[in-house]
PDB file of all heavy atoms in Angstrom:
ATOM      1  N   LEU A   1     -19.399  70.242  37.402  1.00 92.00           N
ATOM      2  CA  LEU A   1     -18.999  70.306  38.835  1.00 92.00           C
ATOM      3  C   LEU A   1     -17.603  70.316  39.126  1.00 92.00           C
ATOM      4  O   LEU A   1     -17.200  70.074  40.282  1.00 92.00           O
ATOM      5  CB  LEU A   1     -19.835  69.212  39.562  1.00 92.00           C
ATOM      6  CG  LEU A   1     -21.332  69.186  39.385  1.00 92.00           C
ATOM      7  CD1 LEU A   1     -21.924  68.110  40.288  1.00 92.00           C
ATOM      8  CD2 LEU A   1     -21.924  70.553  39.814  1.00 92.00           C
ATOM      9  N   GLU A   2     -16.727  70.411  38.141  1.00 92.00           N
ATOM     10  CA  GLU A   2     -15.255  70.437  38.441  1.00 92.00           C
ATOM     11  C   GLU A   2     -14.966  71.596  39.296  1.00 92.00           C
ATOM     12  O   GLU A   2     -14.140  71.383  40.275  1.00 92.00           O
ATOM     13  CB  GLU A   2     -14.545  70.580  37.065  1.00 92.00           C
ATOM     14  CG  GLU A   2     -14.649  69.385  36.210  1.00 92.00           C
ATOM     15  CD  GLU A   2     -13.632  68.288  36.698  1.00 92.00           C
ATOM     16  OE1 GLU A   2     -12.693  68.598  37.426  1.00 92.00           O
ATOM     17  OE2 GLU A   2     -13.939  67.148  36.440  1.00 92.00           O
ATOM     18  N   TRP A   3     -15.514  72.713  39.129  1.00 92.00           N
ATOM     19  CA  TRP A   3     -15.233  73.888  40.021  1.00 92.00           C
ATOM     20  C   TRP A   3     -15.665  73.620  41.466  1.00 92.00           C
ATOM     21  O   TRP A   3     -15.141  74.103  42.403  1.00 92.00           O
ATOM     22  CB  TRP A   3     -15.938  75.085  39.466  1.00 92.00           C
ATOM     23  CG  TRP A   3     -17.508  74.955  39.558  1.00 92.00           C
ATOM     24  CD1 TRP A   3     -18.275  74.324  38.626  1.00 92.00           C
ATOM     25  CD2 TRP A   3     -18.362  75.337  40.603  1.00 92.00           C
ATOM     26  NE1 TRP A   3     -19.569  74.336  38.997  1.00 92.00           N
ATOM     27  CE2 TRP A   3     -19.697  74.963  40.143  1.00 92.00           C
ATOM     28  CE3 TRP A   3     -18.203  76.044  41.834  1.00 92.00           C
ATOM     29  CZ2 TRP A   3     -20.784  75.249  40.978  1.00 92.00           C
ATOM     30  CZ3 TRP A   3     -19.326  76.270  42.501  1.00 92.00           C
ATOM     31  CH2 TRP A   3     -20.597  75.907  42.163  1.00 92.00           C
ATOM     32  N   PHE A   4     -16.748  72.810  41.645  1.00 94.00           N
ATOM     33  CA  PHE A   4     -17.283  72.636  42.958  1.00 94.00           C
ATOM     34  C   PHE A   4     -16.484  71.608  43.692  1.00 94.00           C
ATOM     35  O   PHE A   4     -16.175  71.744  44.990  1.00 94.00           O
ATOM     36  CB  PHE A   4     -18.734  72.003  42.770  1.00 94.00           C
ATOM     37  CG  PHE A   4     -19.498  71.982  44.184  1.00 94.00           C
ATOM     38  CD1 PHE A   4     -20.218  73.062  44.547  1.00 94.00           C
ATOM     39  CD2 PHE A   4     -19.452  70.831  44.898  1.00 94.00           C
ATOM     40  CE1 PHE A   4     -21.040  72.980  45.711  1.00 94.00           C
ATOM     41  CE2 PHE A   4     -20.241  70.815  46.048  1.00 94.00           C
ATOM     42  CZ  PHE A   4     -20.967  71.888  46.502  1.00 94.00           C
ATOM     43  N   TYR A   5     -15.867  70.548  43.108  1.00 94.00           N
ATOM     44  CA  TYR A   5     -15.194  69.522  43.831  1.00 94.00           C
ATOM     45  C   TYR A   5     -13.742  69.602  43.683  1.00 94.00           C
ATOM     46  O   TYR A   5     -12.937  68.929  44.452  1.00 94.00           O
ATOM     47  CB  TYR A   5     -15.700  68.089  43.378  1.00 94.00           C
ATOM     48  CG  TYR A   5     -17.122  67.798  43.883  1.00 94.00           C
ATOM     49  CD1 TYR A   5     -18.223  67.872  43.030  1.00 94.00           C
ATOM     50  CD2 TYR A   5     -17.361  67.404  45.153  1.00 94.00           C
ATOM     51  CE1 TYR A   5     -19.463  67.701  43.537  1.00 94.00           C
ATOM     52  CE2 TYR A   5     -18.646  67.184  45.689  1.00 94.00           C
ATOM     53  CZ  TYR A   5     -19.682  67.312  44.816  1.00 94.00           C
ATOM     54  OH  TYR A   5     -20.939  66.993  45.210  1.00 94.00           O
ATOM     55  N   ARG A   6     -13.170  70.319  42.647  1.00 93.00           N
ATOM     56  CA  ARG A   6     -11.841  70.382  42.421  1.00 93.00           C
ATOM     57  C   ARG A   6     -11.334  71.786  42.270  1.00 93.00           C
ATOM     58  O   ARG A   6     -10.057  72.041  42.458  1.00 93.00           O
ATOM     59  CB  ARG A   6     -11.458  69.618  41.110  1.00 93.00           C
ATOM     60  CG  ARG A   6     -11.669  68.115  41.191  1.00 93.00           C
ATOM     61  CD  ARG A   6     -10.910  67.486  40.008  1.00 93.00           C
ATOM     62  NE  ARG A   6     -11.163  66.019  39.945  1.00 93.00           N
ATOM     63  CZ  ARG A   6     -11.824  65.320  39.117  1.00 93.00           C
ATOM     64  NH1 ARG A   6     -12.560  65.891  38.200  1.00 93.00           N
ATOM     65  NH2 ARG A   6     -11.893  63.996  39.296  1.00 93.00           N
ATOM     66  N   GLY A   7     -12.144  72.794  42.005  1.00 93.00           N
ATOM     67  CA  GLY A   7     -11.712  74.058  41.674  1.00 93.00           C
ATOM     68  C   GLY A   7     -11.843  75.170  42.825  1.00 93.00           C
ATOM     69  O   GLY A   7     -11.604  74.798  44.023  1.00 93.00           O
ATOM     70  N   ASP A   8     -12.253  76.315  42.468  1.00 92.00           N
ATOM     71  CA  ASP A   8     -12.154  77.443  43.407  1.00 92.00           C
ATOM     72  C   ASP A   8     -13.157  77.231  44.632  1.00 92.00           C
ATOM     73  O   ASP A   8     -12.769  77.509  45.762  1.00 92.00           O
ATOM     74  CB  ASP A   8     -12.646  78.762  42.643  1.00 92.00           C
ATOM     75  CG  ASP A   8     -12.745  79.892  43.548  1.00 92.00           C
ATOM     76  OD1 ASP A   8     -11.760  80.287  44.116  1.00 92.00           O
ATOM     77  OD2 ASP A   8     -13.900  80.480  43.715  1.00 92.00           O
ATOM     78  N   PHE A   9     -14.302  76.692  44.398  1.00 93.00           N
ATOM     79  CA  PHE A   9     -15.228  76.461  45.500  1.00 93.00           C
ATOM     80  C   PHE A   9     -14.646  75.398  46.468  1.00 93.00           C
ATOM     81  O   PHE A   9     -14.736  75.677  47.700  1.00 93.00           O
ATOM     82  CB  PHE A   9     -16.601  75.934  44.988  1.00 93.00           C
ATOM     83  CG  PHE A   9     -17.565  75.673  46.125  1.00 93.00           C
ATOM     84  CD1 PHE A   9     -18.364  76.693  46.634  1.00 93.00           C
ATOM     85  CD2 PHE A   9     -17.580  74.372  46.667  1.00 93.00           C
ATOM     86  CE1 PHE A   9     -19.271  76.455  47.725  1.00 93.00           C
ATOM     87  CE2 PHE A   9     -18.520  74.140  47.720  1.00 93.00           C
ATOM     88  CZ  PHE A   9     -19.362  75.111  48.227  1.00 93.00           C
ATOM     89  N   ALA A  10     -14.075  74.323  45.911  1.00 95.00           N
ATOM     90  CA  ALA A  10     -13.485  73.334  46.831  1.00 95.00           C
ATOM     91  C   ALA A  10     -12.393  73.950  47.675  1.00 95.00           C
ATOM     92  O   ALA A  10     -12.356  73.611  48.872  1.00 95.00           O
ATOM     93  CB  ALA A  10     -12.939  72.207  45.949  1.00 95.00           C
ATOM     94  N   GLU A  11     -11.569  74.771  47.092  1.00 96.00           N
ATOM     95  CA  GLU A  11     -10.500  75.294  47.868  1.00 96.00           C
ATOM     96  C   GLU A  11     -10.934  76.268  48.933  1.00 96.00           C
ATOM     97  O   GLU A  11     -10.464  76.217  50.050  1.00 96.00           O
ATOM     98  CB  GLU A  11      -9.566  76.112  46.911  1.00 96.00           C
ATOM     99  CG  GLU A  11      -8.836  75.178  45.915  1.00 96.00           C
ATOM    100  CD  GLU A  11      -8.008  76.044  44.883  1.00 96.00           C
ATOM    101  OE1 GLU A  11      -8.072  77.325  44.908  1.00 96.00           O
ATOM    102  OE2 GLU A  11      -7.361  75.401  43.997  1.00 96.00           O
ATOM    103  N   ARG A  12     -11.952  77.092  48.642  1.00 94.00           N
ATOM    104  CA  ARG A  12     -12.530  77.915  49.673  1.00 94.00           C
ATOM    105  C   ARG A  12     -13.246  77.204  50.746  1.00 94.00           C
ATOM    106  O   ARG A  12     -13.158  77.626  51.940  1.00 94.00           O
ATOM    107  CB  ARG A  12     -13.388  79.054  49.037  1.00 94.00           C
ATOM    108  CG  ARG A  12     -12.651  80.032  48.145  1.00 94.00           C
ATOM    109  CD  ARG A  12     -13.662  81.114  47.626  1.00 94.00           C
ATOM    110  NE  ARG A  12     -14.450  80.706  46.628  1.00 94.00           N
ATOM    111  CZ  ARG A  12     -15.791  80.595  46.744  1.00 94.00           C
ATOM    112  NH1 ARG A  12     -16.397  80.921  47.798  1.00 94.00           N
ATOM    113  NH2 ARG A  12     -16.495  80.177  45.658  1.00 94.00           N
ATOM    114  N   TYR A  13     -13.991  76.187  50.406  1.00 95.00           N
ATOM    115  CA  TYR A  13     -14.617  75.368  51.307  1.00 95.00           C
ATOM    116  C   TYR A  13     -13.759  74.687  52.274  1.00 95.00           C
ATOM    117  O   TYR A  13     -13.945  74.727  53.466  1.00 95.00           O
ATOM    118  CB  TYR A  13     -15.530  74.265  50.565  1.00 95.00           C
ATOM    119  CG  TYR A  13     -16.375  73.468  51.447  1.00 95.00           C
ATOM    120  CD1 TYR A  13     -17.532  73.978  51.987  1.00 95.00           C
ATOM    121  CD2 TYR A  13     -16.027  72.116  51.692  1.00 95.00           C
ATOM    122  CE1 TYR A  13     -18.331  73.127  52.840  1.00 95.00           C
ATOM    123  CE2 TYR A  13     -16.832  71.287  52.451  1.00 95.00           C
ATOM    124  CZ  TYR A  13     -17.985  71.842  53.027  1.00 95.00           C
ATOM    125  OH  TYR A  13     -18.784  71.021  53.807  1.00 95.00           O
ATOM    126  N   VAL A  14     -12.624  74.008  51.827  1.00 96.00           N
ATOM    127  CA  VAL A  14     -11.700  73.294  52.629  1.00 96.00           C
ATOM    128  C   VAL A  14     -10.967  74.411  53.508  1.00 96.00           C
ATOM    129  O   VAL A  14     -10.762  74.056  54.709  1.00 96.00           O
ATOM    130  CB  VAL A  14     -10.685  72.534  51.796  1.00 96.00           C
ATOM    131  CG1 VAL A  14      -9.499  72.114  52.584  1.00 96.00           C
ATOM    132  CG2 VAL A  14     -11.371  71.432  51.110  1.00 96.00           C
ATOM    133  N   ALA A  15     -10.709  75.527  52.937  1.00 96.00           N
ATOM    134  CA  ALA A  15     -10.005  76.556  53.714  1.00 96.00           C
ATOM    135  C   ALA A  15     -10.951  76.990  55.022  1.00 96.00           C
ATOM    136  O   ALA A  15     -10.392  77.158  56.147  1.00 96.00           O
ATOM    137  CB  ALA A  15      -9.636  77.738  52.888  1.00 96.00           C
ATOM    138  N   CYS A  16     -12.150  77.192  54.719  1.00 94.00           N
ATOM    139  CA  CYS A  16     -13.054  77.563  55.861  1.00 94.00           C
ATOM    140  C   CYS A  16     -13.159  76.452  56.919  1.00 94.00           C
ATOM    141  O   CYS A  16     -13.245  76.767  58.087  1.00 94.00           O
ATOM    142  CB  CYS A  16     -14.412  77.923  55.241  1.00 94.00           C
ATOM    143  SG  CYS A  16     -14.523  79.455  54.307  1.00 94.00           S
ATOM    144  N   VAL A  17     -13.302  75.271  56.460  1.00 94.00           N
ATOM    145  CA  VAL A  17     -13.444  74.099  57.369  1.00 94.00           C
ATOM    146  C   VAL A  17     -12.184  73.972  58.208  1.00 94.00           C
ATOM    147  O   VAL A  17     -12.329  73.798  59.416  1.00 94.00           O
ATOM    148  CB  VAL A  17     -13.771  72.890  56.605  1.00 94.00           C
ATOM    149  CG1 VAL A  17     -13.678  71.611  57.491  1.00 94.00           C
ATOM    150  CG2 VAL A  17     -15.134  72.931  55.939  1.00 94.00           C
ATOM    151  N   THR A  18     -11.044  73.957  57.618  1.00 95.00           N
ATOM    152  CA  THR A  18      -9.821  73.740  58.338  1.00 95.00           C
ATOM    153  C   THR A  18      -9.523  74.774  59.277  1.00 95.00           C
ATOM    154  O   THR A  18      -8.951  74.643  60.396  1.00 95.00           O
ATOM    155  CB  THR A  18      -8.652  73.524  57.401  1.00 95.00           C
ATOM    156  OG1 THR A  18      -8.577  74.600  56.453  1.00 95.00           O
ATOM    157  CG2 THR A  18      -8.802  72.186  56.638  1.00 95.00           C
ATOM    158  N   ALA A  19      -9.898  76.094  58.914  1.00 94.00           N
ATOM    159  CA  ALA A  19      -9.772  77.248  59.754  1.00 94.00           C
ATOM    160  C   ALA A  19     -10.504  77.152  61.028  1.00 94.00           C
ATOM    161  O   ALA A  19     -10.175  77.750  62.070  1.00 94.00           O
ATOM    162  CB  ALA A  19     -10.037  78.558  59.048  1.00 94.00           C
ATOM    163  N   ASP A  20     -11.622  76.408  60.996  1.00 91.00           N
ATOM    164  CA  ASP A  20     -12.457  76.217  62.174  1.00 91.00           C
ATOM    165  C   ASP A  20     -12.197  74.872  62.796  1.00 91.00           C
ATOM    166  O   ASP A  20     -13.151  74.289  63.524  1.00 91.00           O
ATOM    167  CB  ASP A  20     -13.926  76.304  61.744  1.00 91.00           C
ATOM    168  CG  ASP A  20     -14.821  76.596  62.946  1.00 91.00           C
ATOM    169  OD1 ASP A  20     -14.341  77.368  63.914  1.00 91.00           O
ATOM    170  OD2 ASP A  20     -15.965  76.043  63.030  1.00 91.00           O
ATOM    171  N   GLY A  21     -11.103  74.176  62.581  1.00 89.00           N
ATOM    172  CA  GLY A  21     -10.754  73.036  63.252  1.00 89.00           C
ATOM    173  C   GLY A  21     -10.997  71.664  62.519  1.00 89.00           C
ATOM    174  O   GLY A  21     -10.812  70.593  63.117  1.00 89.00           O
ATOM    175  N   GLY A  22     -11.593  71.824  61.346  1.00 90.00           N
ATOM    176  CA  GLY A  22     -11.896  70.596  60.525  1.00 90.00           C
ATOM    177  C   GLY A  22     -10.716  69.998  59.957  1.00 90.00           C
ATOM    178  O   GLY A  22      -9.649  70.533  59.874  1.00 90.00           O
ATOM    179  N   ARG A  23     -10.842  68.662  59.419  1.00 90.00           N
ATOM    180  CA  ARG A  23      -9.806  67.938  58.880  1.00 90.00           C
ATOM    181  C   ARG A  23     -10.058  67.603  57.398  1.00 90.00           C
ATOM    182  O   ARG A  23      -9.382  66.746  56.757  1.00 90.00           O
ATOM    183  CB  ARG A  23      -9.624  66.603  59.636  1.00 90.00           C
ATOM    184  CG  ARG A  23      -9.286  66.990  61.096  1.00 90.00           C
ATOM    185  CD  ARG A  23      -9.279  65.605  61.902  1.00 90.00           C
ATOM    186  NE  ARG A  23      -8.885  65.922  63.292  1.00 90.00           N
ATOM    187  CZ  ARG A  23      -8.838  65.013  64.267  1.00 90.00           C
ATOM    188  NH1 ARG A  23      -9.096  63.743  63.955  1.00 90.00           N
ATOM    189  NH2 ARG A  23      -8.450  65.354  65.481  1.00 90.00           N
ATOM    190  N   LEU A  24     -11.033  68.227  56.804  1.00 92.00           N
ATOM    191  CA  LEU A  24     -11.326  68.047  55.398  1.00 92.00           C
ATOM    192  C   LEU A  24     -10.183  68.418  54.511  1.00 92.00           C
ATOM    193  O   LEU A  24      -9.491  69.400  54.797  1.00 92.00           O
ATOM    194  CB  LEU A  24     -12.569  68.838  54.980  1.00 92.00           C
ATOM    195  CG  LEU A  24     -13.346  68.400  53.709  1.00 92.00           C
ATOM    196  CD1 LEU A  24     -14.076  66.995  53.924  1.00 92.00           C
ATOM    197  CD2 LEU A  24     -14.351  69.375  53.414  1.00 92.00           C
ATOM    198  N   THR A  25      -9.921  67.696  53.417  1.00 95.00           N
ATOM    199  CA  THR A  25      -8.846  68.004  52.509  1.00 95.00           C
ATOM    200  C   THR A  25      -9.377  68.148  51.134  1.00 95.00           C
ATOM    201  O   THR A  25     -10.567  67.704  50.755  1.00 95.00           O
ATOM    202  CB  THR A  25      -7.762  66.936  52.450  1.00 95.00           C
ATOM    203  OG1 THR A  25      -8.387  65.695  52.023  1.00 95.00           O
ATOM    204  CG2 THR A  25      -7.266  66.680  53.892  1.00 95.00           C
TER     205      THR A  25
END
């Protein structure tokens, strides 16, 4: 699950959330 919480998925997930006003890092 490294890819999910630290890798590519995590980066894309955070980017989507922050683009919509979220504060997730």
Side-chain angles (χ1 to χ4, degrees):
L1 302 182
E2 289 285 333
W3 63 277
F4 191 90
Y5 290 100
R6 293 193 177 110
D8 177 62
F9 178 87
E11 293 176 358
R12 288 186 288 114
Y13 182 74
V14 169
C16 289
V17 170
T18 54
D20 199 40
R23 300 176 180 176
L24 198 68
T25 66

